[in-house]
Amino acid sequence: QVQLVESGGGLVQAGGSLRLSCAASGRTFSSYAMGWFRQAPGKEREFVAVINRSGDSTYYADSVKGRFTISRDNAKNTVYLRMDSLIPEDTAVYYCAASLSGTTLTSRYNSWGQGTQVTVSS
């Protein structure tokens, strides 16, 4: 099991940018695909982005394609989510998660961070 801690959330104006970080502890970070999910008030938790173990393959939800970029640094045991051109609809609690297989399904992730709040004002 890998322990995950998100950081970098906050308040930003629409059109602005923010970078989230997810620090992982454990000796097998590079064995996990890493995903970002978000949950807005009154909404189900939804998939945002995923990156494979080596970092050479990524996949994004349609709602964030072209605006968000997921990346990882296995040497630092960290996964990132850079968010550009933010819109109010991006407002949510953002979670990082680890899975032994790259997937968009929340049920396939066995480790989760505590979440970090992102609020986009207009």
Side-chain angles (χ1 to χ4, degrees):
Q1 185 178 3
V2 59
Q3 311 299 315
L4 306 172
V5 180
E6 302 96 334
S7 63
L11 175 64
V12 64
Q13 283 272 10
S17 298
L18 207 59
R19 189 180 77 160
L20 306 182
S21 297
C22 176
S25 62
R27 299 189 301 171
T28 58
F29 176 72
S30 62
S31 297
Y32 294 88
M34 297 296 299
W36 284 97
F37 296 79
R38 67 186 183 186
Q39 188 165 21
K43 302 289 187 179
E44 297 286 334
R45 187 169 300 185
E46 65 175 351
F47 166 78
V48 174
V50 63
I51 188 167
N52 72 343
R53 295 154 189 79
S54 62
D56 62 358
S57 181
T58 60
Y59 182 76
Y60 300 89
D62 288 342
S63 59
V64 305
K65 284 180 181 177
R67 299 190 298 118
F68 289 12
T69 303
I70 187 171
S71 61
R72 69 190 296 163
D73 187 338
N74 287 349
K76 297 181 178 179
N77 279 15
T78 303
V79 62
Y80 306 95
L81 184 70
R82 179 175 176 81
M83 304 180 291
D84 296 315
S85 301
L86 285 162
I87 58 177
E89 290 76 14
D90 295 321
T91 295
V93 176
Y94 283 71
Y95 301 88
C96 66
S99 174
L100 290 175
S101 61
T103 178
T104 64
L105 302 176
T106 58
S107 62
R108 295 291 190 87
Y109 289 81
N110 58 340
S111 297
W112 293 84
Q114 85 288 351
T116 185
Q117 176 71 47
V118 172
T119 303
V120 184
S121 62
S122 60

